[in-house]
Amino acid sequence: MKKLIIANWKSNKTFEGVQKWMEADTAWNTNTDTVDIVIAPPFPTLLYVSNKLLDRKKFPNVFLGVQDLSSYPAGKYTGAVSGQNLEGFHVIYAILGHSERRRYFHETDKDVALKIEQALSHGIKPVVCVDEEYIESQARQIDDVVLKKCIVAYEPIEAIGSGVAEDVGHVKKVVEKIRNVFGEVPVIYGGSVDDMNVNEYLLVTDGVLVGTASLDPEMFGRILASV
Ligand code: PGA
């Protein structure tokens, strides 16, 4: 499997900032055989980024992701973004159950399981974020058949946005633990990944989820170049 490098901009950036990022002089067509890149922009800029990514010559291995998805289908759910809303945008991945969603928006394991079902029913690959302590409780909420369709992101809360990434040896152990629970699924790591440490994590995982270091196109380009 190709390594997955996901840029999660969270709720940062103006529209102009997103335009500048997409126009930046990043070398997109390196490592196309070994790496797939995902950009998960804020929802208001999804259409813009989606249209940009249609240029497959410039972005041969860059795919669109969302940072969340409604746990409900289309309908009377004001403010929610449903799988149906995303049809036609070429969304390939959905980051689900990020610790910031769990912490600030009180998402439960059950909510995340419903989101996974919604994503899959719209042909979107779920990237399910877990910290060590809720690997099992999260998996218990997910149907056995569905478990094997997930990509799991190990995201230790203390490493996110702190500049202090998790010990690689520990990441390796948690990756095994996740596979014991979810099955032979792709597992990626997220938490203070940058151009200096990315390769260590790629040795023991199937990819990385990058927050802070994805905000600046130059910095993100350095990560891609060092892989
Ligand atoms: P970070 O964020 O790279 O800023 O630590 C990672 C994440 O939230 O997944």
Side-chain angles (χ1 to χ4, degrees), residues 8 10 98 100 155 159-162 190-193 209-213:
N8 175 12
K10 309 191 178 180
H98 190 284
E100 287 151 12
E155 295 240 317
I160 295 174
S162 66
S192 298
V193 172
L209 212 165
V210 189
T212 311

Side-chain angles (χ1 to χ4, degrees), residues 149-175:
K149 296 180 181 165
C150 295
I151 296 166
V152 180
Y154 166 43
E155 295 240 317
I157 290 168
E158 7 18 286
I160 295 174
S162 66
V164 185
E166 184 63 79
D167 172 70
V168 180
H170 187 70
V171 172
K172 189 167 186 265
K173 282 195 196 127
V174 179
V175 169

Side-chain angles (χ1 to χ4, degrees), residues 63-77:
F63 302 92
L64 189 61
V66 287
Q67 302 172 16
D68 184 32
L69 184 67
S70 177
S71 50
Y72 295 97
K76 290 176 264 181
Y77 305 100

